[in-house]
Amino acid sequence: MTHHGDLHDVQDCMDQLRTALEANGITLPSLGVEAAAFAGTYPPRHGGLVALGNCNTATAHKLAEVPDKAAGR
């Protein structure tokens, strides 16, 4: 997959992240595309921004467990 940083790419990235999180029982209700990153004259330097938003502590604990599981800890 090429990463051009356009809105479509950022939307795809956000959808992939949402799917991966849901596969681990995690839902980030505020997950979305940060549209303000596309408001300027120039395209975002390193791609658009995915807004992760806020989550409660139970969700934060689940998020913290994912990299540990992936690392085999």
Side-chain angles (χ1 to χ4, degrees), residues 5-18 28-39 44 47-53:
D6 66 19
L7 186 56
H8 180 74
D9 288 331
V10 177
Q11 182 71 43
D12 285 347
C13 179
M14 186 209 55
D15 291 340
Q16 288 176 354
L17 179 58
R18 177 177 280 128
L28 293 178
S30 302
L31 184 64
V33 173
E34 180 58 56
F38 295 97
L49 298 176
V50 175
L52 301 177

Side-chain angles (χ1 to χ4, degrees), residues 55-70:
C55 65
N56 60 32
T57 55
T59 301
H61 284 292
K62 286 182 182 180
L63 279 170
E65 291 171 3
V66 173
D68 285 340
K69 286 181 187 176

